[in-house]
Amino acid sequence: MTDPDSVPAVTRDRRLALLGAPVESGASRRGCAMGPAALRTAEIVERLQRLGYAVDDHGDVNPIPVAGLELPGKARGAPEIAGWARSLATRTYALMQDGATPILLGGDHSLAMGSVAGVARHCAEAGRELFVLWLDAHADFNTPATSPSGNMHGMPVACFCGEDGFDGLFGDDFQVRVSPSNVAMVGVRSIDEDERTLLRRRGVEVVDMRAIDEWGVAAPMREFLRRVKSRNGLIHVSLDVDFLDPGVAPGAGTAVPGGATYREAHLIMELLYDSGRVASADIVELNPFLDDRGRSAVVLAEMTASLFGQTILARPARPVS
């Protein structure tokens, strides 16, 4: 077995590749399609460039046309979501193969069906284990058979973990599954009953707000990062704006009170950067129509900068012990 300390965590160059994914058909409320533009207006590119990265903004992705797809149960907009998933999987895979770090700008959280599929394929071919850190008020582990609403932004984790009900979503394309035991959900505070049953059955790690209230964010994050390091894994970070408390970031279509504070969120980002194991990221569910003069867009842009090394004081990266 390879000693994880002898292998570079992320052997990638300092190129970040931004992809806009203005999908909103997975949500019940319109407005997420404006998210990528709002993040660009909040100077997400310039913030990352100031950290010394070469940032390539690849513009907005277009979905691949898919017709006639029907999933069993409730799955609103399945053909369009499939089109986004196939396009994003292809693009993120190609960027990873080229050595860049893809950052997806959403758009609703259904886009993670595609982004994670592309990253997982690259990791499988590279012989690296992929872990997913899900920063969200919701578990998003519904399937078409369990979803009360049929909104597919509540299904991406179940999809990339290989739950039943998503056959045909990717057509005949190669899709690698992520083990549910490799998913860590942090900040969750709204779970449907059938979701709760599935999460327990599959062994997904859920750090809810009760745990954060008791232990803070540093302890569970360090434990997660130790586990990733012990298996020489890489991390895909998927950040939903509703992970944050609505008082910090009001621009969320599915806001839930009692979320993470500004400093808790930044500490998570800083610990992830220190780990050296972040390979890709999603920034999702920003709805500028519901925001307060761009406040949420600025907070998300700042958090992305923290994820890639911005700190209050310059300091060397601290290894995860």
Side-chain angles (χ1 to χ4, degrees):
M1 180 177 178
T2 302
D3 179 0
D5 289 327
S6 69
V7 180
V10 180
T11 53
R12 316 186 70 73
D13 57 32
R14 291 183 67 81
R15 287 184 299 135
L16 304 180
L18 270 58
L19 283 175
V23 54
E24 62 182 15
S25 51
S28 59
R29 197 164 190 172
R30 298 183 64 180
C32 284
M34 298 183 286
L39 289 166
R40 292 181 177 110
T41 301
E43 299 187 340
I44 192 169
V45 173
E46 292 83 353
R47 293 172 194 272
L48 295 169
Q49 287 174 333
R50 287 196 289 269
L51 296 172
Y53 293 95
V55 183
D56 297 320
D57 188 345
H58 293 260
D60 289 349
V61 178
N62 293 314
I64 295 171
V66 175
L69 176 66
E70 293 186 11
L71 300 180
K74 295 181 182 178
R76 295 175 59 249
E80 187 173 353
I81 298 301
W84 284 106
R86 297 179 192 187
S87 178
L88 290 169
T90 299
R91 295 292 298 275
T92 53
Y93 171 74
L95 289 168
M96 294 285 288
Q97 290 290 93
D98 190 46
T101 299
I103 304 174
L104 282 293
L105 309 179
D108 72 60
H109 222 157
S110 65
L111 69 83
M113 296 180 182
S115 62
V116 174
V119 174
R121 177 180 179 183
H122 166 83
C123 289
E125 293 177 359
R128 302 293 294 273
E129 198 168 350
L130 180 64
F131 291 75
V132 176
L133 181 63
W134 200 258
L135 302 172
D136 198 322
H138 307 86
D140 294 344
F141 209 80
N142 271 307
T143 71
T146 68
S147 174
S149 66
N151 294 329
M152 294 192 72
H153 70 163
M155 305 183 191
V157 187
C159 176
F160 63 68
C161 284
E163 289 296 323
D164 292 337
F166 299 98
D167 290 346
L169 194 77
F170 286 90
D172 296 326
D173 292 342
F174 171 64
Q175 185 189 8
V176 178
R177 309 296 187 187
V178 176
S179 170
S181 63
N182 283 16
V183 177
M185 298 178 173
V186 177
V188 174
R189 51 199 188 277
S190 177
I191 304 177
D192 295 319
E193 193 58 43
D194 288 339
E195 268 186 311
R196 186 176 290 109
T197 301
L198 269 179
L199 289 166
R200 287 172 176 162
R201 191 174 295 160
R202 301 296 183 251
V204 177
E205 180 185 4
V206 179
V207 180
D208 63 11
M209 288 307 298
R210 163 70 185 267
I212 291 174
D213 289 341
E214 290 197 65
W215 305 105
V217 296
M221 279 300 303
R222 289 195 175 111
E223 182 57 37
F224 169 69
L225 293 172
R226 276 192 288 269
R227 184 154 52 94
V228 174
K229 180 181 178 181
S230 71
R231 286 152 67 175
N232 192 31
L234 298 175
I235 302 170
H236 176 87
V237 179
S238 203
L239 170 62
D240 189 314
V241 67
D242 69 22
F243 166 70
L244 294 153
D245 189 81
V248 177
T254 53
V256 182
T261 68
Y262 184 85
R263 273 309 313 159
E264 285 171 337
H266 276 283
L267 177 56
I268 289 172
M269 298 297 113
E270 290 161 11
L271 290 171
L272 285 164
Y273 173 74
D274 288 352
S275 78
R277 294 185 177 272
V278 174
S280 51
D282 306 321
I283 314 296
V284 306
E285 293 284 353
L286 173 62
N287 189 329
F289 187 75
L290 303 174
D291 203 3
D292 178 12
R293 294 173 292 181
R295 181 151 58 105
S296 303
V298 170
V299 168
L300 289 177
E302 291 173 343
M303 288 182 62
T304 306
S306 289
L307 179 61
F308 289 96
Q310 180 173 285
T311 58
I312 297 170
L313 293 175
R315 68 181 190 278
R318 180 178 59 194
V320 179
S321 58

